[in-house]
Amino acid sequence: MWHGGAMSQTRAPIDRGRFSNKTVFIMAAIGSAVGLGNIWRFPYVAYEGGGGAFILPYLVALLVAGIPLLLLDYAIGHSQRGSAPLSFARLSRKLEFIGWWQVAICVVISVYYAAILAWSVQYVGFSFTEAWGDDPEAFFFEDFLRAADAEVTLDFVPAVLIPMLIIWIVAIVVMALGVQRGIGATAVIFIPVLLIAFGALVVQALMLPGAIDGLQTLFQPNWAALLDPTVWASAFGQIFFSLSVGFGIMITYASYVGRKIDMTGSGFVVGFANSGFELLAGIGVFSALGFLAQTSGAAVADVVAGGIGLAFIAFPAIISEAPFGELLGVLFFVSLVLAGFTSLVSILEVVISAVRDKLELSRVRAALVVTVPMAVVSILLFTTTSGILVLDIADYFINRFGILLVALVAMLAVGWGVRRVPSLAEHMSRHGSVKLGRWWVVLVMTITPVLLAAMLVLELTSAITEPYGGFPAWMLGVFGWGVAGAALGIGILLSIPAWKTTTPLEAPEHDEEVVR
Amino acid sequence: MTAGAIVMMTIAMAVLWGGLVAAILNVVRFKGTEPTEPARDL
């Protein structure tokens, strides 16, 4: 706006939106962190990693890598007051590509994540009729998904298409409503409902015959496993992948938090809430698996599953056999939908926030510009008979050679490239209940990057020596290595155009919401 | 369940759920400053 007749020009503060208070921010961050992986990945990883003994590497991973990395993301977003690309650009123009790389990764993840939510929505309905009959595996792959053999098709599956449309429409509405009324309100409603639904599921699962055998299998400590480096790697991997760190979400969310909010204390709440929910999931899932083992006359170890196999094959079998199985099914799949949706919203926000900052669009326009094209791609790729194959490959590669790699690059760039970790520690400690001292600087600059690099080397070796999933090389090349590489390439390309002159490339100094 | 499994389950619950309770108490007791007014989107 113009002030008087003077030559000086000042701009009205442009509000990017903000979480109204600390509680809403914490709920939104928990909603992002608690996702499908907490329910279907942790129980399996814990069992494989030594059962009860796994708690030791898991806790070390949480405190040494998970929470410090989470606080680094918070520090970047909270101090720089921008989306991932704008925050990195404000740290150094040379680092802006990292932010866009994270945005590209989020685009990839959200288009396939929506598909899993669509399946879960359908399975809420299937739970009432036990539509899978006697063979949940054949039903899932052949009748429901009509999965093709290692080929890409445009043969649409209506049973996936319709819930997918619903998921995207709801997501677009939530994103258009904005930070507080959309993302914040969704988290404030969904997270307590998720806790109640999953809590009820755990209670029901604990009362099933054989539940104790399941818990025995999960918690029986195998101390010898602690000598296996891959167990420690899987503990760090579980913490890393389940906390939503390293790919822009927490940077974006932290940029919407008031300057004087206790960010460090909030980080510990989010970290422990995420892990606490994982433990609850482990108890519920293994109680149910114990029941499945007893009814099928097998050992619990023989029915243990993770990921899609647990959710869409093992759980339907449990639902068919359990007393009040329909209720168990509804609680389980509703929990998946709730946990997954709040995570999807957070992933989409990374993209919307970046586009909005760069193009200075209104909230509604940015939400539509971003989500509608993504919805179209998502529907074209993942509602066809080849959807699950593409999803499987993209998920494996983008997690490892997208998220893991960009997190490592970001840590090295911020820690050793622009050497901003000490000043970020100071920023976080100013209004934080937990002071980030030398211990955090050492962790973020040396120990955590070394651990991430070791994990990356292990994953790279595995991916090269054993082609993933037995898929054809061209499919791994296009949807795996190709997509992960394209995310980096697109990130570099998007960092080339200059910011608008109205967008300051220095962070506001005071408690202002001026972030254009 | 064996004693070993019960002990490890108890430790996991105490550490993770106890840690969550302690973290929440810390945040609640800490007197930070909330925004004076909720901000709206464009």
Side-chain angles (χ1 to χ4, degrees), chain A residues 239-273:
Chain A
I239 285 291
F240 179 81
F241 291 126
S242 78
L243 259 181
S244 294
V245 288
F247 59 117
I249 293 174
M250 294 304 176
I251 293 176
T252 307
Y253 274 13
S255 75
Y256 298 139
V257 182
R259 284 286 206 188
K260 295 176 182 173
I261 296 285
D262 171 14
M263 295 298 287
T264 54
S266 304
F268 276 85
V269 173
V270 173
F272 276 98

Side-chain angles (χ1 to χ4, degrees), chain A residues 157-179:
Chain A
V157 182
V160 180
L161 179 64
I162 294 166
M164 184 88 118
L165 280 171
I166 295 169
I167 290 288
W168 276 110
I169 290 168
V170 177
I172 289 169
V173 170
V174 168
M175 302 320 293
L177 281 171
V179 176

Side-chain angles (χ1 to χ4, degrees), chain A residues 15-18 21-22 52 55 59 177-179 212 216 219-220 260-262 265 269 273 276 279 283 356 431 433, chain B residues 1-2 4-5 8-9 11-13 15-17 19-20 23-24 26-27 30 32-35 37-42:
Chain A
D15 199 336
R16 301 169 66 242
R18 182 166 67 167
N21 58 49
K22 183 169 58 188
I55 187 69
L59 194 61
L177 281 171
V179 176
I212 298 297
Q216 167 68 32
F219 288 107
Q220 178 61 41
K260 295 176 182 173
I261 296 285
D262 171 14
V269 173
L279 179 63
I283 292 170
R356 216 181 149 198
H431 300 291
S433 60
Chain B
M1 284 177 78
T2 61
M8 292 316 296
M9 186 171 81
I11 290 174
M13 287 174 173
V15 170
L16 296 180
W17 295 346
L20 175 60
I24 291 171
N26 170 61
V27 164
F30 184 73
T33 310
E34 296 286 344
E37 58 182 31
R40 289 182 297 106
D41 288 329
L42 284 173

Side-chain angles (χ1 to χ4, degrees), chain A residues 52-341:
Chain A
F54 186 74
I55 187 69
L56 187 63
Y58 181 78
L59 194 61
V60 170
L62 174 66
L63 297 175
V64 168
I67 290 177
L69 201 46
L70 181 68
L71 294 177
L72 178 65
D73 275 358
Y74 281 1
I76 294 170
H78 194 247
S79 64
Q80 306 305 310
R81 318 299 294 165
S83 58
L86 183 55
S87 291
F88 277 107
R90 282 174 170 165
L91 286 173
S92 165
R93 189 71 172 83
K94 290 177 184 168
L95 303 190
E96 185 185 330
F97 82 94
I98 297 174
W100 288 112
W101 186 5
Q102 293 176 330
V103 169
I105 288 169
C106 286
V107 169
V108 174
I109 294 174
S110 51
V111 294
Y112 73 72
Y113 208 82
I116 304 173
L117 290 187
W119 303 346
S120 302
V121 168
Q122 274 291 24
Y123 267 68
V124 173
F126 291 162
S127 297
F128 288 104
T129 58
E130 295 175 8
W132 44 78
D134 297 329
D135 192 346
E137 184 170 359
F139 174 81
F140 180 66
F141 288 108
E142 295 167 20
D143 301 331
F144 176 52
L145 297 181
R146 292 166 39 202
D149 289 329
E151 58 177 359
V152 178
T153 72
L154 276 178
D155 186 6
F156 289 98
V157 182
V160 180
L161 179 64
I162 294 166
M164 184 88 118
L165 280 171
I166 295 169
I167 290 288
W168 276 110
I169 290 168
V170 177
I172 289 169
V173 170
V174 168
M175 302 320 293
L177 281 171
V179 176
Q180 173 64 22
R181 288 186 302 152
I183 300 167
T186 303
V188 167
I189 296 166
F190 279 24
I191 295 303
V193 175
L194 169 65
L195 196 59
I196 292 167
F198 206 82
L201 178 146
V202 171
V203 170
Q204 190 181 356
L206 281 170
M207 291 193 291
L208 294 171
I212 298 297
D213 296 334
L215 293 180
Q216 167 68 32
T217 305
L218 175 61
F219 288 107
Q220 178 61 41
N222 172 17
W223 299 108
L226 297 185
L227 299 174
D228 182 354
T230 60
V231 168
W232 286 82
S234 68
F236 279 88
Q238 176 60 28
I239 285 291
F240 179 81
F241 291 126
S242 78
L243 259 181
S244 294
V245 288
F247 59 117
I249 293 174
M250 294 304 176
I251 293 176
T252 307
Y253 274 13
S255 75
Y256 298 139
V257 182
R259 284 286 206 188
K260 295 176 182 173
I261 296 285
D262 171 14
M263 295 298 287
T264 54
S266 304
F268 276 85
V269 173
V270 173
F272 276 98
N274 179 62
S275 293
F277 188 86
E278 290 196 322
L279 179 63
L280 189 68
I283 292 170
V285 165
F286 266 78
S287 298
L289 288 174
F291 166 75
L292 178 64
Q294 190 176 84
T295 54
S296 58
V300 179
D302 295 332
V303 298
V304 171
I308 288 171
L310 171 75
F312 299 104
I313 298 169
F315 247 87
I318 293 165
I319 293 161
S320 292
E321 298 293 335
F324 305 106
E326 298 87 350
L327 175 64
L328 191 70
V330 170
L331 291 173
F332 180 76
F333 290 110
V334 164
S335 296
L336 280 185
V337 173
L338 294 174
F341 189 78

